[in-house]
């Protein structure tokens, strides 16, 4: 009887531990870098209405096979990400319903997912779903999205439009 009670309490703890992390004006976090570093398996990171510019970097953002980390917009909020996001050694992360937008200040690669320069720390199980990549105008970047050192990823229902390179 004790084992069943312990399991039930442990299951309740892990269910409750999943959190919503909010990014934007008047939110707990102002950028993806800070929010991603705070995320634990099962969390959802929500971007609230607004523009998110500038380079951001986070390493070791890791969900699990059973508890992915999801990065998405909040409800139907209008967002645009106009800066480079770079993630190293990430696992079980889904990017969903995001809009990456080039502009005169930031014209280059929108997202870079890599292994941090170490083949032993490959990023893996990455999903890009229903994201928009618009107006990347710097042909010297050679790609709108870079997946270098990534094992196992999916790109589904995404739109790439007005890209100088016309390639991922």
């Amino acid at each position: 009887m004790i084992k069943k009670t312990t399991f039930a309490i442990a299951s309740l703890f892990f269910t409750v531990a999943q959190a919503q992390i909010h990014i934007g004006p008047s939110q707990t976090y102002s950028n993806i870098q800070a929010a991603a570093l705070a995320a634990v398996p099962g969390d959802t990171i929500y971007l609230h209405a607004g523009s998110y510019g500038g380079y951001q970097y986070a390493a070791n953002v890791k969900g699990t096979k059973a508890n992915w980390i999801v990065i998405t917009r909040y409800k139907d909020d209008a967002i645009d990400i106009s800066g480079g996001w770079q993630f190293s050694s990430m696992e079980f992360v889904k990017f969903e319903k995001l809009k990456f937008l080039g502009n005169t200040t930031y014209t280059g690669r929108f997202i870079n997912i890599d292994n941090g320069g170490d083949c032993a720390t490959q990023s893996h199980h990455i999903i890009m779903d229903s994201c928009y990549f618009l107006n990347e105008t710097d042909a010297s970047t050679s790609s709108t999205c870079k997946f270098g050192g990534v094992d196992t990823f999916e790109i589904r229902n995404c739109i790439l439009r007005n890209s100088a390179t016309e390639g991922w």
Side-chain angles (χ1 to χ4, degrees):
M1 190 59 122
I2 293 173
K3 288 181 183 179
K4 286 183 182 179
T5 304
T6 303
F7 176 73
I9 292 170
S11 295
L12 178 62
F13 174 77
F14 288 113
T15 302
V16 173
Q18 297 175 354
Q20 296 180 357
I21 297 173
H22 296 270
I23 303 173
S26 302
Q27 299 300 323
T28 306
Y29 297 95
S30 61
N31 60 55
I32 190 63
Q33 182 173 336
L37 293 173
V40 298
D43 285 356
T44 298
I45 299 173
Y46 288 107
L47 281 80
H48 286 260
S51 295
Y52 299 88
Y55 173 78
Q56 299 288 308
Y57 175 76
N60 300 310
V61 179
K62 296 182 179 183
T64 65
K65 186 175 183 178
N67 293 293
W68 287 60
I69 293 173
V70 177
I71 301 172
T72 188
R73 68 181 180 192
Y74 184 73
K75 297 185 180 179
D76 288 326
D77 282 8
I79 63 157
D80 64 75
I81 301 158
S82 55
W85 282 8
Q86 181 176 359
F87 297 95
S88 296
S89 305
M90 68 181 336
E91 302 172 5
F92 297 100
V93 177
K94 181 178 183 181
F95 297 89
E96 180 179 72
K97 299 178 185 174
L98 300 176
K99 183 172 87 174
F100 295 86
L101 182 64
N103 58 39
T104 55
T105 304
Y106 192 84
T107 60
R109 181 174 297 130
F110 297 134
I111 191 162
N112 180 21
I113 300 173
D114 59 44
N115 61 11
D118 184 351
C119 291
T121 60
Q122 297 285 84
S123 289
H124 60 87
H125 293 89
I126 310 302
I127 296 175
M128 302 290 279
D129 188 9
S130 303
C131 294
Y132 290 84
F133 302 90
L134 309 170
N135 303 330
E136 181 265 327
T137 59
D138 185 354
S140 69
T141 63
S142 74
S143 64
T144 299
C145 301
K146 180 182 176 188
F147 292 79
V150 178
D151 179 22
T152 315
F153 69 92
E154 294 180 44
I155 298 174
R156 38 171 121 131
N157 306 311
C158 292
I159 294 176
L160 171 64
R161 186 173 295 140
N162 299 330
S163 172
T165 59
E166 293 303 330
W168 292 100

